Amino acid sequence: MIREGDRPDQSCVILEGWLCRYRIIASGRRQILSLHVPGDVPDLMGLHLAVMDHTLSALTPAVIGCIPYRRIDELIATYPRLAAALWRETLIDAAQFRGWMVGLGRREALSRIAHLICEMYLRMQVIGLTDGFSFRFPVKQVDLADATGLSDVHVNRTLQELRRRGLLSLAKGDLTILDWEQLKSVADFDPQYLHLGD
Amino acid sequence: MIREGDRPDQSCVILEGWLCRYRIIASGRRQILSLHVPGDVPDLMGLHLAVMDHTLSALTPAVIGCIPYRRIDELIATYPRLAAALWRETLIDAAQFRGWMVGLGRREALSRIAHLICEMYLRMQVIGLTDGFSFRFPVKQVDLADATGLSDVHVNRTLQELRRRGLLSLAKGDLTILDWEQLKSVADFDPQYLHLGD
DNA sequence: CGCCCCTTTGATATTAATCAAGAACTGTGG
DNA sequence: CCACAGTTCTTGATTAATATCAAAGGGGCG
């Protein structure tokens, strides 16, 4: 949707589907920086930074709403508190990056993947897209690998280990958490960084 | 200076010294999330997020200036464009997190450390704290390890490799880049993400 | 039915972590 | 000015985690 190096003049809101942001380095390896679900506005940064430092792309077929920056500026002028709300949104964005950094740098594979799943479960719950402990998780293992900094083969084996331990089931993009407490514990998951509560 | 879980009511500006932000996970491992040098305001996020999700701490003796949020709010009310400037500052913060995530997830040790050094060199240059290719780099190897997601032993060996290749010298906190082009190339460094240019 | 995309499996290679000392500094008090 | 105690850095040996390579299954869709 937007490429690294672009100078966009509008933001988008996800109405349906999943997007991700990523960057590819010289060796050809890709790091996914964030996953985005309906309700997210994944490119607010363009409002104050001229050049995109990463690419925004769809993981699934998606429906997107577009808002020109010009229009956002007008809205902010009319409703000054909107600026604070959007600013806050970008701060939560940054908090999520921090959450992922800890995983990338200091968690082993099992915990890293479990953590990502805990996060996406809560985020899906907040937007009403969970059914009990089940939700759509249309992320391919290769993408999961690029999000967690692992190889796809290792992601596959780690998912098997999570299944073997009875923590979750995942097939055809349908994920069910079978033991939330244990999953959280394996993930060392503390939702604080998502700032859902405030 | 500020701990995870705190609800601060002021921001700080670094006048002298280096700070870092970090989080410690259950296993006791620490991930440093960012390094901060004079001129940085490392805790602007508190302005709109109630609870700190990480700790802010000094790496060296430091001199800090404090600004109550209340005062910042007043200033913003008086000079509305200040809000945009501060917002932008937090967006650059997020961009730096993204830069680090790519390293943590997808770069090998040598490139990861080289990359960090390239970044700090440019940031020090911008604030006028470089002398040619030399600058103070008072970061212990343990801290470097926690910043790059490596073990301290491996950081030590990787630094030796960088020295062996004639890319830099580093002793007693004094760093000199001996071959900037090669260092950049090993690091696969593209300063775009720092948004220094705009 | 066949193709393509995704997942799974097995074998092997690498990178980096861990463990355990020892050496080199730093600052301190005598 | 020196002995020391505490950091920080360095080294060697070993182990563990994860990547890479290569190939084989499975399932959905035209």
Side-chain angles (χ1 to χ4, degrees):
Chain A
M1 302 195 42
I2 319 178
R3 262 178 234 285
E4 186 178 338
D6 282 0
R7 296 168 166 269
D9 58 2
Q10 58 179 17
S11 276
C12 73
V13 190
I14 307 178
L15 302 174
E16 264 175 52
W18 288 48
L19 307 195
C20 74
R21 301 194 256 179
Y22 66 83
R23 189 137 87 219
I24 291 179
I25 63 176
S27 63
R29 301 172 118 191
R30 177 175 72 145
Q31 176 64 45
I32 290 184
L33 303 163
S34 57
L35 296 178
H36 294 285
V37 295
D40 287 356
V41 184
D43 55 355
L44 269 180
M45 51 148 320
L47 213 50
H48 290 293
L49 296 181
V51 182
M52 286 290 286
D53 58 40
H54 58 269
T55 296
L56 177 64
S57 144
L59 287 174
T60 68
V63 179
I64 304 295
C66 296
I67 319 169
Y69 294 149
R70 188 178 26 74
R71 187 81 190 99
I72 299 180
D73 289 337
E74 288 168 15
L75 285 168
I76 287 177
T78 317
Y79 310 98
R81 308 186 96 185
L82 181 63
L86 292 177
W87 186 352
R88 184 164 184 285
E89 211 51 43
T90 63
L91 288 171
I92 291 179
D93 219 54
Q96 273 175 35
F97 291 141
R98 290 193 289 272
W100 283 36
M101 285 176 74
V102 175
L104 288 168
R106 288 307 189 203
R107 276 188 238 281
E108 54 176 23
L110 193 74
S111 161
R112 225 183 274 190
I113 290 181
H115 200 276
L116 180 62
I117 289 168
C118 288
E119 171 179 326
M120 294 321 296
Y121 171 63
L122 282 199
R123 288 172 60 191
M124 290 294 271
Q125 193 178 49
V126 164
I127 56 177
L129 290 184
T130 51
D131 175 12
F133 279 114
S134 299
F135 58 104
R136 286 247 77 211
F137 187 74
V139 182
K140 282 170 289 185
Q141 293 184 359
V142 199
D143 298 325
L144 214 41
D146 285 340
T148 52
L150 300 164
S151 70
D152 51 354
V153 172
H154 201 60
V155 164
N156 181 286
R157 291 179 171 136
T158 306
L159 283 174
Q160 288 179 50
E161 175 65 12
L162 288 168
R163 291 193 195 98
R164 200 194 57 71
R165 295 196 187 186
L167 304 184
L168 55 79
S169 73
L170 170 58
K172 302 178 200 200
D174 284 313
L175 196 157
T176 301
I177 294 175
L178 300 174
D179 189 338
W180 176 235
E181 288 309 321
Q182 265 302 108
L183 187 67
K184 274 200 299 189
S185 143
V186 163
D188 180 31
F189 184 69
D190 173 1
Q192 159 57 80
Y193 77 100
L194 291 172
H195 298 270
L196 296 172
D198 324 353
Chain B
M1 302 197 43
I2 319 178
R3 262 177 235 284
E4 186 177 341
D6 282 1
R7 295 168 166 270
D9 59 1
Q10 59 179 15
S11 276
C12 74
V13 191
I14 307 178
L15 302 175
E16 266 175 52
W18 288 48
L19 308 195
C20 74
R21 302 194 254 180
Y22 66 83
R23 190 137 87 221
I24 291 180
I25 63 176
S27 62
R29 303 172 117 190
R30 177 176 73 146
Q31 177 64 44
I32 290 185
L33 303 163
S34 57
L35 296 178
H36 294 285
V37 295
D40 287 356
V41 183
D43 55 356
L44 269 179
M45 50 147 323
L47 213 51
H48 290 294
L49 296 180
V51 182
M52 286 290 287
D53 58 40
H54 59 269
T55 296
L56 178 63
S57 144
L59 287 174
T60 68
V63 180
I64 303 296
C66 295
I67 319 169
Y69 293 150
R70 188 178 25 75
R71 186 81 190 99
I72 299 181
D73 289 337
E74 289 168 16
L75 285 168
I76 287 176
T78 318
Y79 310 99
R81 306 187 100 183
L82 181 63
L86 292 178
W87 186 352
R88 182 164 185 285
E89 211 51 42
T90 63
L91 288 170
I92 291 178
D93 219 53
Q96 274 175 33
F97 291 141
R98 289 192 290 271
W100 283 36
M101 286 177 74
V102 175
L104 288 168
R106 289 304 189 206
R107 277 189 239 279
E108 55 177 22
L110 194 73
S111 160
R112 228 183 271 188
I113 290 182
H115 200 276
L116 180 62
I117 288 167
C118 289
E119 172 180 326
M120 293 322 296
Y121 172 62
L122 282 199
R123 287 172 59 192
M124 290 294 271
Q125 192 178 50
V126 164
I127 55 177
L129 291 184
T130 51
D131 175 13
F133 279 113
S134 299
F135 59 105
R136 287 247 76 210
F137 187 74
V139 182
K140 283 170 290 186
Q141 293 183 359
V142 198
D143 298 325
L144 214 41
D146 285 340
T148 52
L150 300 163
S151 70
D152 52 353
V153 173
H154 201 60
V155 164
N156 181 287
R157 291 179 171 137
T158 306
L159 283 174
Q160 287 180 50
E161 175 65 13
L162 288 168
R163 291 193 194 98
R164 199 192 59 71
R165 296 195 186 186
L167 303 185
L168 55 80
S169 73
L170 169 58
K172 302 176 201 208
D174 283 313
L175 196 156
T176 301
I177 294 174
L178 300 174
D179 188 339
W180 174 236
E181 288 308 321
Q182 266 302 107
L183 187 67
K184 274 200 300 189
S185 142
V186 164
D188 179 31
F189 184 70
D190 174 0
Q192 159 58 88
Y193 76 101
L194 291 173
H195 297 273
L196 296 172
D198 324 354

